[in-house]
Amino acid sequence: MLNRILIVALIAGFVTGVAVTAIQLGSSIPIIQYAESFENAVGDEVGVAGHKHTNDSAALSHDHNGAGMVAGHEPWVPEDGIERVFWAGITNVLLGFGAALLIAAGLLLHGLFLRKPVNSLIGLAWGGAAFLTFSLAPALGLPPELPGSSAAALDARQVWWIGTAVATAMGLAMIAYCRWLWMVPAIGLLLLPHVIGAPHPEVHESLVPASVEESFIVISVGTSMIFWLMLGSLTASLVRRMNLIDRERISETAAVAAAGGDDRE
């Protein structure tokens, strides 16, 4: 069982990671490089090398703040072109593998506890829930940032991001699996992080034109949606194909449970 789960996650993570990297190659990566040209130009003027954003899959994680100079030395960064695309692809595949493990575990619990087989629609639902939890909900308060943009303290942003993800996941789970009486607290959990508000600098400054920032936000969130929906659907299809959830056993269990209910009546 464990080996089959790992195989499912490896296949789903690899296919999704490669596909998303191809999308980023023609969308978010050129915009990040364009923004870096502004940042590096300013750095050249003041005699300080601008920091570079090495993680092009940051469109999925919504944290685009690169590391600055440490002890007078620039950190290693991949060169533009094949090297940058290669490392972005590696990052996306690893992210896809880890996320597929989480989705596969959720699908197994869904199938076993609800005694229902898993299909691509269920996978899409789980992928959509993951997109809302890890991408859209945090992006409503902390949208993706380009190089050269001001931001609040990293610790404050991390705390708000984690809290938002946890509250969103709990709210969606309550809506999906609890009785209607739980709808009000579920909606409250979904709204709570946004009522509190995300941390922002007192004055937002950016070296990049506002229109470019807006395009980058839309592209980043859209790419993230493709990532999660594709990963959820593919993972569910592989879980079904590899029979990780024994459909016959589920049917037998459901029949026994129904018979037990009839006997009690």
Side-chain angles (χ1 to χ4, degrees):
M1 174 68 76
L2 179 59
N3 289 337
R4 286 186 289 171
I5 291 175
L6 291 175
I7 291 173
V8 166
L10 282 172
I11 296 175
F14 178 80
V15 173
T16 304
V18 171
V20 167
T21 301
I23 294 173
Q24 289 179 335
L25 182 60
S27 57
S28 59
I29 291 179
I31 297 179
I32 291 175
Q33 292 174 329
Y34 175 73
E36 287 176 347
S37 66
F38 285 89
E39 190 178 44
N40 292 334
V42 173
D44 291 339
E45 291 178 1
V46 299
V48 179
H51 66 276
K52 294 191 71 177
H53 288 229
T54 61
N55 184 2
D56 291 315
S57 66
L60 302 177
S61 66
H62 306 296
D63 188 0
H64 302 278
N65 292 315
M69 296 179 64
V70 178
H73 299 284
E74 291 186 31
W76 175 85
V77 294
E79 297 294 333
D80 290 339
I82 296 178
E83 186 175 347
R84 168 173 281 207
V85 174
F86 171 78
W87 286 109
I90 292 295
T91 303
N92 287 332
V93 169
L94 291 176
L95 177 61
F97 171 70
L101 285 176
L102 293 176
I103 292 178
L107 291 173
L108 290 175
L109 293 175
H110 173 91
L112 293 175
F113 281 99
L114 297 184
R115 303 187 184 95
K116 294 181 180 179
V118 169
N119 53 41
S120 297
L121 290 178
I122 298 297
L124 279 174
W126 274 79
F131 165 68
L132 293 175
T133 300
F134 299 113
S135 181
L136 184 60
L140 292 176
L142 293 175
E145 298 172 357
L146 281 170
S149 299
S150 59
L154 179 60
D155 291 345
R157 286 182 289 140
Q158 288 177 332
V159 169
W160 187 87
W161 192 98
I162 294 173
T164 301
V166 171
T168 303
M170 292 176 62
L172 293 176
M174 292 165 65
I175 291 174
Y177 296 108
C178 295
R179 297 178 182 274
W180 64 270
L181 292 174
W182 292 90
M183 293 301 105
V184 172
I187 295 174
L189 278 174
L190 294 176
L191 297 177
L192 180 60
H194 308 286
V195 172
I196 295 174
H200 291 286
E202 294 183 1
V203 178
H204 175 74
E205 297 178 348
S206 177
L207 302 175
V208 182
S211 59
V212 176
E213 282 191 306
E214 293 171 358
S215 298
F216 180 71
I217 292 172
V218 173
I219 290 173
S220 298
V221 175
T223 303
S224 180
M225 181 179 66
I226 294 172
F227 171 87
W228 286 110
L229 293 180
M230 182 177 179
L231 188 68
S233 177
L234 184 56
T235 301
S237 297
L238 292 171
V239 166
R240 183 180 179 87
R241 181 176 294 274
M242 299 190 71
N243 200 27
L244 290 180
I245 302 175
D246 193 332
R247 292 189 291 273
E248 294 181 359
R249 181 177 299 176
I250 290 175
S251 299
E252 292 175 359
T253 305
V256 170
D262 293 339
D263 292 341
R264 286 191 297 270
E265 292 176 0

